[in-house]
Amino acid sequence: MFQINDNFTKIAGNYLFAEVARRVSAFQDRNPQRRVIKMGIGDVTEPLPEASIKAFHEGVDDMGRRESFMGYGPYEGYAFLREAIAKNDFQSRGADIGADEIFLSDGAKCDTGSIQELFGANVRIAVPDPVYPVYVDSNVMAGHSGLWKDGRYEGFVYLDSTPENGYVPAPPAEAVDVIYLCFPNNPTGAVATREQLKTWVDYARANKALILFDAAYEAFVRDPAIPRSIYEIEGARECALEFRSFSKTAGFTGVRVAFTVIPRDLKVPDSTGKMHSLHSLWMRRQATRYNGLSYPVQKASAAIYSPEGKAQVKTLLDFYLENARLVREAILSVGVPCVGGENSPYLWVRPGGDSWAFFDRLLNEAGVVCTPGSGFGRCGEGHVRFSAFNSRQNVQDAIALIKQALTKG
Ligand code: PLP
């Protein structure tokens, strides 16, 4: 008799953004004439950089000629793109990562959600709270947690990110096997200093733990003192892998390009203590389950590393960062605490109280959609997330509406 994977029955509630969408759609049904400005979900609004569009077209034209036609590509991606990434994103910043340590994919969501296939059955997982929900849910589905109880899964070690620690948790007192870190953080917008990341790398090496570093928002870092890669920290090659995405960097959410970095010297034990290369295991996994990104998409991706591409990406990111600055200034001006939005497209706002109640209030009174902090974890209660991904007009209109609603009391 067919039976389902029982772990799926442990998953708590709706996927956060599905619940947000449900409430927004119910509001729109009740108020068909009201305008709704979505400042919640982190999806880009601006078109692709010109350089990528041009390369995309060239890639499609190549596919239309017998002499330049491309069939299946390498599972890990074409060398031309991996070399551009290694040189521009890592080596130019003193991070010793080679093109052969990069695995291209169609999303950091898929990679962060699939990597747990490589974990042993009894690993102890540490996740930040609040957190990008994929890390938690994918590990629950894989059976790495206990049951959902009082807003948390038993068996996970939660790393509280609170106003007290500036939303950057320190390593736990106990030993864990896998640590998810995300900086610049989604949802809090917090960034970690070199010293803070060093404490995590030291902890991971001392405990033989694996760090999964999600740097999907690294391109928003403007402060030169803030590391953009875990590999800027000494010792990280032995204990960390890193996820990156073109989604927010180059507006590729609808194109789908990301990559995972796995250093060749990262060795991990099986249950008998025998050591294996995580790089080889992931390559084996990808070769079994994945057939790579399309050639035109990889051409479009490589174009962001051309001189024109770099300039266009900078303009794009500066635009979103200016949106973030405007929202931040507006929220602070009405006396509501707010962090993030400086090296990040996300603002973490602390009105206090129940975050779904605040979400409903803002939707009903201002027609503005935010994301309730409690949806990202227990420590997100009392907070909401605003995203800077929007047109300038929408941001300006939303700011006026938010200010009006918040000053009403
Ligand atoms: N990691 C974090 C922290 C994210 O916020 C997101 C998207 O919102 C992703 C990964 C997913 O990125 P991708 O579009 O490459 O799947």
Side-chain angles (χ1 to χ4, degrees), residues 198-326:
K198 175 89 170 62
T199 63
W200 278 107
V201 169
D202 291 347
Y203 170 91
R205 290 167 83 190
N207 290 283
K208 299 194 179 353
L210 180 68
I211 294 177
L212 304 180
F213 190 75
D214 187 340
Y217 298 96
E218 60 77 32
F220 291 86
V221 173
R222 286 291 180 268
D223 180 344
I226 299 294
R228 290 170 64 163
S229 166
I230 192 79
Y231 302 115
E232 290 177 48
I233 310 300
E234 199 200 325
R237 282 184 59 90
E238 286 166 39
C239 63
L241 48 86
E242 182 163 307
F243 303 104
R244 293 257 183 130
S245 174
F246 280 51
S247 283
K248 313 299 157 70
T249 304
F252 270 43
T253 54
V255 180
R256 309 305 305 140
V257 181
F259 61 92
T260 292
V261 183
I262 310 189
R264 284 192 171 274
D265 32 2
L266 212 168
K267 298 285 189 301
V268 284
D270 63 22
S271 61
T272 69
K274 186 172 167 226
M275 300 305 278
H276 299 265
S277 152
L278 205 60
H279 183 281
S280 307
L281 295 177
W282 188 244
M283 177 64 106
R284 186 71 184 80
R285 186 266 178 203
Q286 292 295 81
T288 298
R289 293 191 192 267
Y290 186 63
N291 257 336
L293 286 169
S294 81
Y295 168 75
V297 158
Q298 295 192 58
K299 288 272 288 183
S301 307
I304 73 162
Y305 298 107
S306 66
E308 320 78 76
K310 282 182 188 172
Q312 290 158 9
V313 162
K314 178 162 188 314
T315 305
L316 187 64
L317 299 181
D318 283 350
F319 172 79
Y320 291 128
L321 282 168
E322 176 61 8
N323 280 351
R325 193 190 65 76
L326 293 170

